[in-house]
């Protein structure tokens, strides 16, 4: 970015004019309109800020990344200024703190959505919805392994199709059969070694898919395939079928199949499905505001909107990809507000939707176990959480077996947990990634930049093999880290009696015990509620968000990028444990109050 002298003058004039107007509004607006006028002024400032980024920075994505860094660092500076004023015994009025905090939170949320320049035409994520809409709708026929194979066969049968391009209005003629029979056409072998295979191997036996469909369902499947192909350009469509298929647990298929069966694939309907995640995200922030207040809401929004591990790019415009996050965060909010049975049900639902959110329950189990050890019985509130969780599982698991099939859980284990989870992906994060990544140069390092081989059917075959071999060799290191972390966690939880605090701290086990694609690291929003009782976490949390952006911008190869992002995320979780451990750094001021449970309801305390 290089600004001309004229552009610099324009920015300075706009800056001075804005603050002049802001001062005039605050000084001369009628008293009854002053608060509303200030909100309008700040919102205008946010709009002006994003307009400036768009005008003076050539690349929109880089402008948004820079805006995220500025918002996170600006929030940290606001906290420093607040502390400075408190030290001077001239505290800032609560209404101003709320106003600035909420405004920064809203700005961060706008940044998450790329300033409403979504990148996906008409706001639906064709790639993601192809997997989740089609995978859920036709799960009884295809299971977890058949999506790409059945798509090939359907496309081959469709042959030459004529359709009207929605954007240009022009009639287009497309030979789908010719596409799939091209000698370079490849798909992911979901039911085998999870590597790429030539499409010709599948086309030899079309009955491998068609035998599982009724004639009516097969025609519906072909129509949906035709929609997704004609809504995507050729290269994008080809790459869709090199992904890793449909992978959610059977419980997710309940709602996925319900909405999939309701209407054929179309632009309007997929836009409607994409809106669900917006509702879930708004619900998540509303729940945080309800349970923890404006400050936690603001901290959560700033961190979530500015961090780089789980940006909009991966799941924006997708179909029910934020449901697990809503219910995971909601469970902490419900605990905080003493709705214990609903909290247990919410946590179980989150775990059954994606498995890994259930690892946060280790926090609950640790607190409950310590209580039982001390008192030789379960606390009443812990029993209520257990009842809610058991009831949720007793309803959801049978319903999921009815919708997805009695054999669906065995299929899920075989495909997702046994095969897919053991296949390294370029955007994986977790302890396994840290252990399997070897710094260095040359092919022997196993890094992606040295092992990618475009001559192979799967260019990353060597990288995947070497990563698995390295983890197998140093698995004992991972086990040692997990054991030491669990011991430290129990040590911390001897002082933490609050279930929601333990749950938020328990996010560390999601990093330690699972290997996830990067966009699931939105779970780290659980750090924000902890600022309710340990406000010193705020600035490091904003710093973490800014640091992840610098890592994102500085790294090119995905394995290096997501290894670094894992390392800083795990280090931050250890920092949270230290803060709640009661230990102090040598330079810490002794007169600072030590808060363990914060303002938890008395009925929640042991």
């Amino acid at each position: 970015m290089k600004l001309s002298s004229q552009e610099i003058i324009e920015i300075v004039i706009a800056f001075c004019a804005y603050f002049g107007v802001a001062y005039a509004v605050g000084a001369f607006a009628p008293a009854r309109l002053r608060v509303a006028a200030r909100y309008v002024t700040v919102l205008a400032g946010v709009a002006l800020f994003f307009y400036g980024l768009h005008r003076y920075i050539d690349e929109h994505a880089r402008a948004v990344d820079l805006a995220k860094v500025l918002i996170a660092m600006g929030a940290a500076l606001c906290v420093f200024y607040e502390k400075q004023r408190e030290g001077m015994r001239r505290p800032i009025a609560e209404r101003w703190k709320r106003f600035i905090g909420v405004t920064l939170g809203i700005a961060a949320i706008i940044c998450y959505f790329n300033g409403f320049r979504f990148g996906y035409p008409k706001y639906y994520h064709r790639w993601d919805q192809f997997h989740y809409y089609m995978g859920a709708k036709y799960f009884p026929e295809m299971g977890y392994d058949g999506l790409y194979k059945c798509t090939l066969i359907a496309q081959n049968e469709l042959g030459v199709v004529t359709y009207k391009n929605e954007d240009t209005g022009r009639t287009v003629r497309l030979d789908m059969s010719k596409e799939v029979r091209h000698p370079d056409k490849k798909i992911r072998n979901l039911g085998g070694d999870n590597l790429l295979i030539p499409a010709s191997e599948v086309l030899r036996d079309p009955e491998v898919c068609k035998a599982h469909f009724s004639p009516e369902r097969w025609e519906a499947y072909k129509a949906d395939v035709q929609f997704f192909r004609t809504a995507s350009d050729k290269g994008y469509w080809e790459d869709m079928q090199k992904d890793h298929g449909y992978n959610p647990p059977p419980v997710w298929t309940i709602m996925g199949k319900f909405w999939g069966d309701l209407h054929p694939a179309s632009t309007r309907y997929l836009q409607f499905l994409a809106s669900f995640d917006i509702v879930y995200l708004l619900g998540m922030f509303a729940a945080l505001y309800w349970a923890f207040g404006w400050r936690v809401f603001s901290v959560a929004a700033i961190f979530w909107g500015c961090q780089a591990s789980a940006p909009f790019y991966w799941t924006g415009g997708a179909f029910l990809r934020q449901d697990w996050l809503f219910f995971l965060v909601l469970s902490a909010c419900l605990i905080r507000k003493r709705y214990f049975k609903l909290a247990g049900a919410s946590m179980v639902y989150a775990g059954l939707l994606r498995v890994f959110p259930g690892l946060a329950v280790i926090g609950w189990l640790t607190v409950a176990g310590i209580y039982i050890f001390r008192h030789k019985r379960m606390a009443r509130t812990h029993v209520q959480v257990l009842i809610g969780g058991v009831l949720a599982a007793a309803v959801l698991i049978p319903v999921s077996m009815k919708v997805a099939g009695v054999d669906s859980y065995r299929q899920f284990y075989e495909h997702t947990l046994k095969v897919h989870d053991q296949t390294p992906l370029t955007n994986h994060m977790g302890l396994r990634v840290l252990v399997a990544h070897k710094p260095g140069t040359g092919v022997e390092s196993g890094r992606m930049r040295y092992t990618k081989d475009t001559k192979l059917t799967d260019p990353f075959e060597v990288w995947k093999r070497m990563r698995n071999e390295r983890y197998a060799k140093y698995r004992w290191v991972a086990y040692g880290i997990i054991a030491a972390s669990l011991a430290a966690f129990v040590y911390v939880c001897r002082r933490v009696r609050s279930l929601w605090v333990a749950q938020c701290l328990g996010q560390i086990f999601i990093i330690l015990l699972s290997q996830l694609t990067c966009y699931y690291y939105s779970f780290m929003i659980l750090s924000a509620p902890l600022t309710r009782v340990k406000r010193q976490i705020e600035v490091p949390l904003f710093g973490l968000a800014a640091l992840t952006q610098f890592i994102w911008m500085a790294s090119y190869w995905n394995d290096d990028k997501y290894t670094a992002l894992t390392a800083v995320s795990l280090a931050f979780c250890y920092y949270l444990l230290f803060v709640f451990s009661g230990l102090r750094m040598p330079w810490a001021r002794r007169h600072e109050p030590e808060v363990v449970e914060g303002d938890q309801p008395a009925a929640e305390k042991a």
Side-chain angles (χ1 to χ4, degrees):
M1 177 182 66
K2 186 176 181 181
L3 299 178
S4 66
S5 57
Q6 179 180 345
E7 289 173 330
I8 293 173
I9 292 172
E10 289 175 358
I11 292 172
V12 172
I13 291 174
F15 184 84
C16 294
Y18 172 76
F19 279 97
V21 171
Y23 175 79
V25 168
F28 303 112
R32 59 190 176 83
L33 299 176
R34 194 166 296 161
V35 173
R38 286 170 178 168
Y39 274 98
V40 171
T41 302
V42 172
L43 292 175
V46 172
L48 184 64
F49 173 73
F50 282 105
Y51 172 77
L53 287 175
H54 173 69
R55 177 178 174 83
Y56 296 109
I57 299 181
D58 295 332
E59 186 181 346
H60 177 76
R62 183 54 55 91
V64 171
D65 293 341
L66 178 60
K68 292 176 180 179
V69 173
L70 293 176
I71 290 172
M73 298 307 293
L77 290 175
C78 287
V79 176
F80 283 132
Y81 179 66
E82 177 192 31
K83 293 295 183 184
Q84 176 69 14
R85 288 286 297 268
E86 289 176 357
M88 298 168 60
R89 296 189 178 182
R90 293 176 54 200
I92 302 170
E94 185 72 9
R95 67 178 184 277
W96 278 111
K97 291 193 286 187
R98 180 172 61 248
F99 178 64
I100 297 299
V102 171
T103 300
L104 288 173
I106 292 172
I109 292 172
I110 294 172
C111 276
Y112 173 82
F113 287 100
N114 290 332
F116 303 124
R117 289 180 62 177
F118 303 116
Y120 304 115
K122 302 179 181 177
Y123 195 76
Y124 72 95
H125 194 328
R126 290 150 180 77
W127 185 307
D128 192 274
Q129 293 212 24
F130 167 70
H131 288 84
Y132 279 79
Y133 172 87
M134 298 288 281
K137 183 174 182 177
Y138 299 101
F139 184 85
E141 291 87 358
M142 297 189 305
Y144 287 103
D145 300 336
L147 179 60
Y148 300 154
K149 295 177 181 177
C150 293
T151 297
L152 275 183
I153 295 164
Q155 201 174 341
N156 187 48
E157 282 196 9
L158 284 165
V160 178
V161 299
T162 303
Y163 66 97
K164 181 175 288 188
N165 186 291
E166 292 184 356
D167 297 320
T168 65
R170 291 161 52 180
T171 300
V172 180
R173 185 176 180 274
L174 177 63
D175 190 342
M176 293 199 181
S177 180
K178 182 179 179 181
E179 276 191 1
V180 298
R181 292 186 175 277
H182 192 281
D184 293 335
K185 174 73 174 179
K186 302 172 187 175
I187 65 167
R188 182 76 55 189
N189 183 22
L190 298 178
D193 55 14
N194 235 17
L195 298 176
L196 297 178
I197 59 172
S200 56
E201 294 183 14
V202 177
L203 295 174
R204 297 190 192 108
D205 184 16
E207 290 303 314
V208 71
C209 276
K210 294 181 64 176
H212 300 286
F213 285 80
S214 68
E216 296 78 12
R217 290 278 287 176
W218 181 245
E219 290 303 314
Y221 185 81
K222 287 166 60 177
D224 287 337
V225 168
Q226 179 174 332
F227 169 81
F228 277 103
R229 171 59 191 95
T230 57
S232 311
D233 63 56
K234 185 175 183 297
Y236 191 74
W237 174 253
E238 298 285 332
D239 289 341
M240 278 189 198
Q241 294 153 75
K242 297 176 184 176
D243 204 335
H244 290 78
Y246 174 78
N247 303 303
V251 166
W252 190 92
T253 305
I254 297 173
M255 297 307 299
K257 183 166 172 39
F258 171 81
W259 292 109
D261 284 339
L262 209 58
H263 197 278
S266 68
T267 298
R268 293 289 187 187
Y269 191 62
L270 297 187
Q271 288 173 326
F272 170 67
L273 297 184
S275 69
F276 293 175
D277 277 351
I278 297 177
V279 174
Y280 272 125
L281 292 174
L282 291 176
M284 175 183 71
F285 286 114
L288 286 168
Y289 202 116
W290 165 68
F292 296 100
W294 71 266
R295 187 156 185 140
V296 168
F297 159 82
S298 301
V299 171
I302 293 167
F303 171 74
W304 177 83
C306 296
Q307 51 77 41
S309 298
F312 176 87
Y313 168 80
W314 293 101
T315 56
F319 172 35
L320 288 179
R321 295 287 254 152
Q322 306 294 349
D323 49 359
W324 67 270
L325 181 62
F326 169 76
F327 287 105
L328 176 63
V329 173
L330 180 64
S331 62
C333 296
L334 289 168
I335 285 283
R336 174 74 178 83
K337 301 298 281 187
R338 301 176 60 186
Y339 293 98
F340 298 108
K341 292 178 184 177
L342 288 176
S346 186
M347 171 64 86
V348 167
Y349 191 29
L352 290 175
L353 284 171
R354 280 297 187 279
V355 179
F356 73 85
L359 294 173
V361 82
I362 292 175
W364 288 1
L365 295 175
T366 304
V367 169
I370 291 173
Y371 187 93
I372 292 172
F373 177 79
R374 288 173 173 170
H375 301 278
K376 311 306 180 192
R377 61 180 178 84
M378 286 188 70
R380 181 179 60 84
T381 55
H382 300 169
V383 173
Q384 291 178 330
V385 172
L386 179 62
I387 290 172
V390 169
L391 289 176
V395 172
L396 291 168
I397 293 175
V399 172
S400 67
M401 295 174 70
K402 176 69 175 177
V403 171
V406 176
D407 198 39
S408 57
Y409 282 90
R410 184 196 63 79
Q411 291 183 50
F412 174 72
Y413 171 77
E414 293 288 337
H415 171 79
T416 303
L417 299 182
K418 191 174 179 181
V419 176
H420 178 64
D421 187 56
Q422 301 303 316
T423 302
L425 304 183
T426 59
N427 63 334
H428 261 158
M429 294 178 66
L431 178 62
R432 200 184 310 175
V433 170
L434 288 178
V435 173
H437 187 80
K438 180 181 179 181
T441 59
V443 175
E444 64 276 5
S445 70
R447 291 169 61 195
M448 189 180 296
R449 66 184 302 176
Y450 302 112
T451 57
K452 182 180 179 181
D453 188 351
T454 56
K455 297 177 182 178
L456 298 174
T457 304
D458 188 332
F460 297 107
E461 180 179 349
V462 175
W463 173 77
K464 293 176 181 178
R465 174 175 53 79
M466 293 186 72
R467 172 157 282 200
N468 279 335
E469 289 173 353
R470 181 169 174 80
Y471 180 72
K473 181 178 180 180
Y474 294 102
R475 191 191 304 264
W476 60 272
V477 175
Y479 292 160
I481 292 173
I482 293 168
S485 301
L486 180 60
F489 189 79
V490 173
Y491 175 81
V492 172
C493 283
R494 85 198 192 285
R495 305 177 69 252
V496 175
R497 301 173 184 177
S498 166
L499 290 178
W500 72 262
V501 171
Q503 175 187 345
C504 294
L505 292 174
Q507 67 182 314
I508 190 173
F509 294 105
I510 299 178
I511 301 176
L512 295 174
L513 299 176
S514 62
Q515 181 174 240
L516 304 173
T517 39
C518 60
Y519 43 82
Y520 287 122
Y521 268 59
S522 53
F523 72 79
M524 290 200 68
I525 198 174
L526 286 176
S527 304
L530 296 174
T531 63
R532 175 76 181 189
V533 293
K534 298 286 187 179
R535 193 163 288 179
Q536 65 264 41
I537 295 170
E538 289 179 343
V539 171
L541 187 59
F542 299 146
L544 174 65
L547 178 59
T548 62
Q549 286 298 334
F550 286 124
I551 292 171
W552 175 270
M553 291 186 280
S555 306
Y556 175 77
W557 294 95
N558 275 358
D559 58 342
D560 296 334
K561 179 186 299 182
Y562 292 112
T563 299
L565 288 173
T566 299
V568 297
S569 300
L570 183 58
F572 186 80
C573 287
Y574 284 125
Y575 161 75
L576 294 178
L577 290 182
F578 176 81
V579 169
F580 279 85
S581 68
L583 301 174
R584 292 179 182 272
M585 290 294 189
W587 56 82
R589 290 179 295 176
R590 293 294 177 180
H591 65 271
E592 289 180 342
E594 184 65 30
V595 182
V596 178
E597 297 177 74
D599 54 0
Q600 295 308 295
E604 186 185 331
K605 298 180 181 180

